[in-house]
Structures are given as C-alpha cells and as structure tokens.
Amino acid sequence: MSKKSKQEYIAAIRARYLSSNKAEKQKLLYEICTTCGYNRKYIIRVLNKKEIKGTPKKKSRQKEKICSQ
C-alpha cells in the first residue's frame, strides 16, 4: 500500500472513528493496524488530530547585517 493510499484510507475512517464508542474504536484500530501496518498509538494520534488543509510554509528569516564602524 502506498503512503498516499494509506492517508486516504485513514481519512475515510476518521469520521467513523470519532463518532463511535470504545468497543467500535478498538475494532477500527485493529483493522487499520492490519491493513496499513502502523502502530496503534500512531493511528490514535493521527485519527484524533485535527485535519490540516495544505502544508504550512516556513517563513525564511534573514539576519540583518549590522554595520560595525
């Protein structure tokens, strides 16, 4: 499974995971673990994280030139 397809799969399950009870969450986590090969804790963090659209861009900082005279 490619990285992009894993991300799409987890995004599709996120809504079901957030609205389910504890027993259903356990089943979903087991399913994702066997399908994607990720650890349970990693999947929990990914599913509970708010979805970020786009990637944040880092601002480049340039040092000011100080004239020593």
Side-chain angles (χ1 to χ4, degrees):
M1 212 175 186
S2 70
K3 185 176 180 179
K4 185 170 182 161
S5 61
K6 287 180 185 180
Q7 289 174 348
E8 291 171 352
Y9 176 70
I10 291 172
I13 291 182
R14 179 178 280 122
R16 280 181 32 207
Y17 178 81
L18 293 175
S19 65
S20 61
N21 61 19
K22 186 176 180 178
E24 293 171 353
K25 286 182 180 183
Q26 290 174 345
K27 291 178 185 176
L28 286 172
L29 288 173
Y30 178 76
E31 177 186 328
I32 297 170
C33 284
T34 56
T35 305
C36 297
Y38 291 140
N39 293 328
R40 289 176 64 90
K41 284 294 186 180
Y42 174 73
I43 296 169
I44 292 169
R45 280 188 229 112
V46 169
L47 290 172
N48 287 325
K49 185 173 68 170
K50 291 182 181 179
E51 197 168 341
I52 300 172
K53 296 186 178 182
T55 56
K57 295 182 180 179
K58 288 187 176 182
K59 294 181 181 178
S60 63
R61 294 177 53 176
Q62 295 179 355
K63 294 182 179 179
E64 292 183 26
K65 293 183 179 180
I66 299 174
C67 218
S68 58
Q69 292 180 353

